Amino acid sequence: MAHRFVAALMRPELLALRRLVIAEAERFPALGTAWYQQGFERVLAGLAGCFDRLARRGSLTVDDPALAANQFVGLLLWIPINRVMFCGGSYPADELSRIADGATHMFLATYRPAASTGTAATRSVLTPDGDH
């Protein structure tokens, strides 16, 4: 899921649109607000719901699913988004893959249940099966 998520958000056409919305947010605040609420905020809410369901099943230890969703997305996007926003261009796919793996590893190191060895819990979180 992390690989697909970061790849989707780093598509050149989406980055160009993001730059435009950010550049015009002061002049057209409703545009920026709509972009944020209908895009980023909705994705975070969906991810928080997923983390909440995984916590109720015992696959994650999450007290604040919304915070966990923000943290996960931050781990995925901080490096590549900032680089392309400031420097232009695109981000290499192999580097996106490395970032997705590292973000997932760090997230699970924090939120995996203490008694878990990692195998079942990791598969549960990383394998989309319609419930996540």
Side-chain angles (χ1 to χ4, degrees):
M1 191 260 329
H3 288 261
R4 287 193 315 254
F5 185 80
V6 75
L9 290 180
M10 295 300 295
R11 290 188 334 257
E13 65 275 10
L14 188 57
L15 292 171
L17 189 54
R18 178 186 178 100
R19 283 186 191 98
L20 179 62
V21 170
I22 290 170
E24 296 297 333
E26 287 294 320
R27 287 186 341 141
F28 302 102
L31 175 66
T33 299
W35 172 277
Y36 187 81
Q37 289 175 341
Q38 296 303 311
F40 200 63
E41 204 168 66
R42 276 178 62 188
V43 168
L44 287 170
L47 196 54
C50 172
F51 291 162
D52 184 53
R53 286 188 301 278
L54 289 167
R56 283 188 270 119
R57 288 193 333 212
S59 297
L60 292 177
T61 302
V62 175
D63 294 328
D64 186 341
L67 178 60
N70 276 279
Q71 290 169 334
F72 186 61
V73 170
L75 290 168
L76 285 171
L77 292 178
W78 180 256
I79 296 168
I81 281 285
N82 279 304
R83 186 196 286 172
V84 300
M85 288 292 115
F86 287 108
C87 302
S90 61
Y91 207 84
D94 61 327
E95 286 294 306
L96 288 177
S97 181
R98 189 175 68 83
I99 287 171
D101 288 343
T104 302
H105 178 78
M106 184 177 279
F107 182 84
L108 290 176
T110 299
Y111 290 113
R112 180 184 291 131
S116 173
T117 61
T119 54
T122 301
R123 266 195 303 277
S124 175
V125 172
L126 299 179
T127 305
D129 64 7
D131 189 31
H132 302 138

